[in-house]
Amino acid sequence: MSALTDLQTQLQAQLAALSAREKRMLGGAAAAVTIFIVFMVIFSFGRTADSIRDRTAKKIVQLDEVQTLASGYREAKAKQDQLENQLRASNVRLVSYLEDKAKPAGIDLPSINPKADIPLEGSKIIESSVEVTLTDVKVNRLIDFMTAVEAGPGVVKIKYLRLEPRPAQETVTAWLTIATYKLK
């Protein structure tokens, strides 16, 4: 403790020996140093606060993106589950199904050629399809038939349609590939 009191006494003696002008200059220098230190502390706090605000804003944006992606994922998952449920319930015998849909539409099915079942690449879904040729059919009856086929139970889709008009008879010849899908 004596070292501190000695130092304090020595500083007081030196300050007492200074002139009034030197005391003002020393006070101004001390004030400038104090102001500089206060400025640096406030500046560093402000910069730290800005940095925290920026990081918080970025994290809020990231959270919004995550929420958007999560809701999109939920919707996609719900659609996928709905489709899988349709595929599980789909047990359509395509030939008899098409014959049942052709009668109310007033269409005769002279040619139905079943194709071999094929699994879709990279999935557990099997596609069963048939090729149908309809000759000299009225367009409105063909539309009714195609609408009835795709509106039925299970997942039945018309994959391919080729039409050849016959203007003289006001009919068309149609080649269709109709497919149904089910889970393995």
Side-chain angles (χ1 to χ4, degrees):
M1 277 310 246
S2 68
L4 285 177
T5 50
D6 289 343
L7 182 62
Q8 184 181 4
T9 331
Q10 190 177 19
L11 283 175
Q12 285 177 351
Q14 288 178 352
L15 283 175
L18 293 176
S19 68
R21 183 173 179 231
E22 290 172 339
K23 286 180 184 177
R24 280 192 306 252
M25 287 176 50
L26 185 61
V33 167
T34 304
I35 290 173
F36 178 74
I37 290 172
V38 168
F39 172 76
M40 291 304 291
V41 168
I42 291 173
F43 180 74
S44 81
F45 282 160
R47 200 164 58 177
T48 302
D50 289 343
S51 172
I52 290 171
R53 280 189 214 103
D54 289 344
R55 285 189 307 224
T56 304
K58 287 178 186 176
K59 287 180 182 179
I60 288 172
V61 168
Q62 289 174 341
L63 285 173
D64 288 342
E65 289 175 10
V66 167
Q67 287 176 337
T68 302
L69 291 174
S71 67
Y73 174 77
R74 280 191 294 273
E75 290 171 9
K77 184 66 174 160
K79 287 179 184 177
Q80 180 182 0
D81 290 344
Q82 180 185 13
L83 257 175
E84 284 182 3
N85 289 336
Q86 280 184 326
L87 289 174
R88 278 189 197 92
S90 180
N91 194 13
V92 177
R93 303 286 177 230
L94 212 45
V95 174
S96 59
Y97 175 76
L98 292 177
E99 289 172 348
D100 290 344
K101 296 297 179 179
K103 288 178 188 173
I107 292 179
D108 183 37
L109 297 175
S111 168
I112 299 177
N113 300 321
K115 291 180 166 184
D117 291 351
I118 53 171
L120 296 181
E121 186 178 321
S123 70
K124 52 187 176 184
I125 300 173
I126 296 177
E127 176 187 85
S128 302
S129 61
V130 295
E131 290 180 348
V132 178
T133 303
L134 303 172
T135 54
D136 298 324
V137 175
K138 297 267 185 203
V139 173
N140 61 342
R141 290 184 178 175
L142 178 62
I143 291 171
D144 291 343
F145 171 70
M146 291 187 324
T147 304
V149 165
E150 287 196 342
V155 180
V156 180
K157 297 292 177 193
I158 298 173
K159 286 181 58 175
Y160 175 78
L161 172 64
R162 184 177 138 216
L163 297 175
E164 185 178 294
R166 306 225 186 263
Q169 295 92 12
E170 295 182 357
T171 59
V172 295
T173 298
W175 293 270
L176 298 109
T177 301
I178 302 171
T180 185
Y181 304 90
K182 61 184 175 185
L183 289 177
K184 287 183 184 178

